[in-house]
Amino acid sequence: GRKRTAPASMTRGSTPRRLASVGEVISLIAVTYLCLTIACGIAYYLAGMTAFDALNHAMTTVSTAGFSTHDKSFGFFEDKAIHWIAIVFMLGSCMPLVLYVKMVRSKSLAVWNDAQVRGFLQIAGLAVFTVTLWYYVRHDEPFLDALRS
């Protein structure tokens, strides 16, 4: 398609910036989603899941759907590394996928200063800490096990 540029009033300096088309943004988001899913699947596989379990759990972790191939869900897997992988990828998957696209395109981590992301991480962190502390006090378990529960 035709290249579009931002009006001069929307650019820094006098060089017009190229605006991404909707199709480009959708493609980049899809590629980002696919990359997250593949990375998650590889991490699960390396942590000891079968290829079938790793693929299925990666797809539901990144989509934060929570489905499992086992009745006990993640409780079926006794390896704590698998649980931590799920936690990391679920938190990462809660971030706007456009954030990852911006991060790759700008080659900068400055996009993590986004107010939406900071707010989400603060609320999630407070909620996780509160529930973990409650679980730790109520059940005689080590703190990291309470956090993982």
Side-chain angles (χ1 to χ4, degrees):
R2 216 174 82 209
K3 288 186 180 180
R4 297 179 305 154
T5 57
S9 62
M10 293 176 58
T11 62
R12 293 183 193 131
S14 60
T15 308
R17 293 182 302 182
R18 184 181 175 283
L19 296 178
S21 70
V22 173
E24 282 180 291
V25 172
I26 290 171
S27 295
L28 289 170
I29 289 173
V31 167
T32 302
Y33 187 83
L34 181 63
C35 289
L36 280 172
T37 303
I38 290 169
C40 184
I42 290 169
Y44 280 146
Y45 183 76
L46 293 175
M49 280 189 178
T50 65
F52 177 77
D53 280 338
L55 174 66
N56 282 282
H57 284 89
M59 289 190 293
T60 64
T61 298
V62 173
S63 69
T64 63
F67 300 112
S68 179
T69 56
H70 301 281
D71 289 344
K72 293 172 74 177
S73 190
F74 275 94
F76 175 83
F77 304 101
E78 296 181 12
D79 190 340
K80 293 176 185 178
I82 290 173
H83 297 180
W84 285 110
I85 290 167
I87 291 167
V88 167
F89 276 94
M90 281 190 171
L91 275 174
S93 298
C94 289
M95 301 298 138
L97 292 177
V98 172
L99 174 82
Y100 293 111
V101 172
K102 286 181 181 178
M103 195 167 58
V104 169
R105 290 182 99 188
S106 69
K107 296 178 178 51
S108 167
L109 297 177
V111 293
W112 288 101
N113 291 329
D114 182 83
Q116 176 184 353
V117 172
R118 281 196 325 268
F120 167 75
L121 291 176
Q122 289 169 350
I123 291 168
L126 180 62
V128 167
F129 178 75
T130 303
V131 172
T132 300
L133 188 60
W134 172 82
Y135 196 85
Y136 175 72
V137 169
R138 300 273 298 178
H139 303 84
D140 192 28
E141 286 193 41
F143 187 78
L144 286 179
D145 287 344
L147 177 64
R148 194 174 49 87
S149 296

